Amino acid sequence: MKQLTSSEQDVFALALDGHSVKEMQDILFKEENTIKTQRRSILQKLNVSSMKEAIDFYKKTTQTSSQNFTNYHQEIFQKLVKTS
């Protein structure tokens, strides 16, 4: 599995929180096409066909280290809050 870029990680963290593309645009100050391109890249890198499948895959693979998942999620959220 290829590693996600920092921009893709930001998009994925927001997807994990259930944000829509429009909400991601507002939070990240990016164009709709940029968000959609990053989402497609995430799906391709995770070898899945939907964002739901990507989220399920991520949660399943990080389940054994749920504290790492929580810490990562909080770190991304704090980063996004600071830039807003």
Side-chain angles (χ1 to χ4, degrees):
M1 173 174 45
K2 297 179 183 176
Q3 187 168 347
L4 301 180
T5 66
S6 63
S7 293
E8 290 166 348
Q9 289 174 18
D10 292 344
V11 168
F12 193 57
L14 292 172
L16 287 167
D17 278 340
H19 290 281
S20 68
V21 171
K22 174 64 176 139
E23 291 168 332
M24 291 179 195
Q25 282 181 260
D26 294 341
I27 294 168
L28 298 173
F29 304 104
K30 293 184 178 183
E31 295 292 324
E32 179 180 5
N33 285 337
T34 301
I35 300 290
K36 288 181 176 181
T37 298
Q38 290 170 331
R39 287 171 57 105
R40 279 192 300 273
S41 180
I42 292 165
L43 300 181
Q44 187 175 36
K45 288 179 179 181
L46 296 178
N47 196 28
V48 296
S49 58
S50 70
M51 192 53 72
K52 180 184 179 334
E53 190 177 350
I55 291 167
D56 290 345
F57 171 78
Y58 182 77
K59 288 180 178 178
K60 182 188 233 182
T61 59
T62 60
Q63 196 169 30
T64 56
S65 58
S66 61
Q67 188 58 46
N68 289 342
F69 172 76
T70 301
N71 291 342
Y72 170 76
H73 209 94
Q74 290 173 346
E75 181 182 316
I76 294 295
F77 180 75
Q78 290 302 318
K79 176 183 167 187
L80 295 173
V81 169
K82 287 179 185 176
T83 60
S84 298

